[in-house]
Amino acid sequence: MKAVLLAAGEGQRLQPLTSTRPKHLIKIAGKPILQFCLDAVKTAGITDVVIVTHYMGEKIKDYFGDGSSQGLKISYVEQKMLGGTGNATMVAESFVEDEFVLIYGDLLFAQNTVKQAVDMYETFKPQAVIAAVAVDEPKNYGIIELTDDKEFKSIIEKPQSGDVPSNLVNAGVYVFSKTVFEKLGQVKKSVRGEWELTDALTMLASEGKTVKVLELDKKAWFDVGRPWDLLDANIWVLNHMDLQVLGVVEQGVHLFGRVHVAKTARIRSGVYIEGPVFIDEGADVGPNCFIRSGTCLGKKTRVGNAVEIKNSLIMDNTHVGHLSYVGDSIIGENCNFGAGTITANLRFDCDSIKMTVKDKKVDTGKRKLGVVFADNVKTGINVSFMPGVKIGTDSWVGANLVVDSDVPECSILQLKQQGYVQLKSKFDE
């Protein structure tokens, strides 16, 4: 059996993080999201994989190569124009010889999920297996409609509030017989202007073909659609990881809970860490810092003296200057914080934080949420950022500013000083 991983989309809701990388390469606890999918495929005993790419596909190819270093055989096929999951699946048809696993490559799920789906397929020999999970707000997903006998009937993509037939949503993990390609050839464009893979499943069921539903534990699946989801996903991953202290930990460091310190990382004296925390290769932390639960420090990050970081993702090669605070935030690669940079994460009225997603203000539902920095952002000394702000790629924010709205990419913000009066010195008398 082979595996097809769909990794063509951009992830527009995750902008500005996806302005320099596809969503599938955003790292959580040191691994790109797509790597977790590959790990699950390998756990199921599948080593032959094709990845369907489009947006920044070369970056995905450069990162994973031919897969030989992971004991996999990875090939790539390009979806020339984005046309939905049905179209993305069709471009992999020549790669597939018989039954195959198909996975949306931008989701997180338990490592045994793919194996569970394969086992169900081999037990019942249906036309398809689809993984499903119960969620609290199903209207944002493809909803699985069941018959009165609890058999698969159809999938309704993102229905209106009054048209939700169940709380079971499509979990993005399938096993198909090759007959699915015949049905995909009959699929019409949806109202969203896409060829939906799920329409082929509905066709199979309407013709009396067997489509089995594998219901996953709610705790075994995680959707990463919006920037703040990355923080929750990070906790989810950390809670499923084996964390070890391997690097240099100087005297006077205090570690509490589950903490991972990579072999080439260094934790200087006076650092206080509350797990779960992940510190990647080449990171240098301290002295005298407070690293709080839920934090991930990427490769070659530098955290200076007297810094506090709470529940945040700090990506590779970023420097957080001394006397700074980063709370509930996502900071891209190659950023540099001037001393005293502060990210606020709580409104005065304690209301939930709003953030702009695809040009619309969205209520995140989060009482505490900081900022999202794209790559290559620099701040001067004593800059303060209000909750929910996003800063675009390659932007510079000058000293002593208070930033309360989003900053576009390649911007330079500078405080315009109105001048000052120099008083006469008492020594001049």
Side-chain angles (χ1 to χ4, degrees):
M1 190 177 287
K2 296 182 179 181
V4 176
L5 271 60
L6 304 187
E10 173 184 345
Q12 291 184 358
R13 292 182 298 167
L14 286 168
Q15 285 283 7
L17 298 169
T18 50
S19 63
T20 50
R21 64 178 67 78
K23 172 183 179 179
H24 314 83
L25 290 185
I26 293 176
K27 287 184 179 179
I28 297 173
K31 285 185 184 180
I33 293 171
L34 188 58
Q35 181 67 66
F36 292 98
C37 298
L38 288 169
D39 292 346
V41 165
K42 189 174 179 181
T43 298
I46 300 170
T47 57
D48 210 343
V49 179
V50 64
I51 301 177
V52 180
T53 64
H54 177 77
Y55 178 72
M56 295 192 183
E58 289 302 318
K59 289 198 172 187
I60 293 176
K61 292 180 186 178
D62 289 344
Y63 191 92
F64 293 105
D66 64 4
S68 57
S69 63
Q70 303 180 54
L72 298 171
K73 179 185 176 184
I74 300 177
S75 54
Y76 301 87
V77 60
E78 184 181 2
Q79 185 182 12
K80 299 294 184 184
M81 294 185 64
L82 294 181
T85 52
N87 177 256
T89 304
M90 285 292 284
V91 301
E93 181 177 10
S94 61
F95 167 83
V96 176
E97 297 164 359
D98 41 41
E99 64 266 13
F100 65 100
V101 169
L102 185 135
I103 300 170
Y104 296 168
D106 58 356
L107 298 169
L108 295 170
F109 42 84
Q111 287 297 289
N112 66 343
T113 298
V114 176
K115 187 176 187 307
Q116 285 180 295
V118 171
D119 288 348
M120 176 175 276
Y121 183 88
E122 292 179 343
T123 299
F124 295 99
K125 294 298 180 183
Q127 295 299 305
V129 170
I130 177 172
V133 65
V135 299
D136 296 330
E137 295 185 9
K139 66 181 181 179
N140 297 320
Y141 301 92
I143 308 302
I144 295 177
E145 183 181 13
L146 301 175
T147 66
D148 293 339
D149 298 326
K150 302 299 181 184
E151 296 293 329
F152 177 89
K153 181 179 179 181
S154 69
I155 294 182
I156 303 171
E157 290 292 342
K158 297 182 180 178
Q160 299 300 315
S161 299
D163 301 322
V164 180
S166 77
N167 67 340
L168 279 181
V169 305
N170 177 10
V173 177
Y174 311 84
V175 185
F176 288 117
S177 67
K178 201 170 180 182
T179 56
V180 72
F181 292 110
E182 178 186 340
K183 296 305 165 194
L184 283 170
Q186 300 169 21
V187 167
K188 309 292 186 190
K189 260 190 182 182
S190 69
V191 293
R192 300 194 300 174
E194 298 180 347
W195 289 271
E196 310 281 4
L197 172 61
T198 50
D199 286 349
L201 285 168
T202 300
M203 280 182 173
L204 288 170
S206 68
E207 295 174 3
K209 302 293 193 300
T210 303
V211 177
K212 301 296 290 184
V213 178
L214 171 66
E215 188 168 350
L216 305 177
D217 187 319
K218 187 177 180 180
K219 296 178 181 178
W221 180 85
F222 206 98
D223 180 30
V224 184
R226 302 153 304 183
W228 56 92
D229 292 332
L230 291 167
L231 297 176
D232 293 332
N234 180 50
I235 295 291
W236 187 89
V237 169
L238 288 176
N239 286 334
H240 287 81
M241 285 184 68
D242 178 25
L243 304 180
Q244 303 178 65
V245 177
L246 304 172
V248 175
V249 177
E250 296 180 356
Q251 282 190 337
V253 172
H254 298 273
L255 306 180
F256 293 90
R258 299 172 63 249
V259 177
H260 181 86
V261 181
K263 286 183 180 179
T264 56
R266 178 184 181 185
I267 314 299
R268 298 171 185 249
S269 182
V271 174
Y272 191 104
I273 302 178
E274 293 179 340
V277 164
F278 182 91
I279 300 172
D280 212 338
E281 300 290 350
D284 187 349
V285 183
N288 306 316
C289 295
F290 186 14
I291 310 299
R292 296 171 62 182
S293 176
T295 294
C296 278
L297 303 180
K299 287 181 171 60
K300 298 182 179 179
T301 49
R302 175 76 181 102
V303 178
N305 176 55
V307 167
E308 179 178 347
I309 301 178
K310 177 228 173 189
N311 187 41
S312 294
L313 283 170
I314 313 293
M315 297 187 187
D316 299 349
N317 299 302
T318 283
H319 180 186
V320 182
H322 52 286
L323 304 171
S324 296
Y325 173 75
V326 183
D328 303 283
S329 297
I330 303 152
I331 310 300
E333 295 182 2
N334 305 308
C335 294
N336 190 81
F337 281 44
T341 297
I342 304 295
T343 66
N345 61 347
L346 178 67
R347 290 168 49 121
F348 272 138
D349 59 7
C350 294
D351 199 1
S352 57
I353 309 298
K354 313 296 190 297
M355 185 175 282
T356 303
V357 177
K358 295 181 70 172
D359 300 322
K360 292 183 179 179
K361 276 288 185 184
V362 175
D363 188 338
T364 67
K366 299 285 187 184
R367 180 172 172 268
K368 289 191 175 183
L369 182 63
V371 302
V372 177
F373 280 16
D375 295 349
N376 309 317
V377 173
K378 295 183 179 181
T379 76
I381 62 169
N382 298 324
V383 177
S384 296
F385 294 90
M386 294 297 102
V389 165
K390 298 197 292 187
I391 310 297
T393 310
D394 295 310
S395 291
W396 296 357
V397 182
N400 297 311
L401 279 169
V402 176
V403 181
D404 61 2
S405 58
D406 291 356
V407 177
E409 65 180 17
C410 301
S411 298
I412 299 176
L413 275 63
Q414 191 170 7
L415 186 66
K416 186 175 181 180
Q417 191 162 301
Q418 298 298 316
Y420 58 90
V421 177
Q422 183 174 1
L423 299 177
K424 183 178 179 181
S425 169
K426 66 179 181 179
F427 297 108
D428 292 337
E429 295 177 356

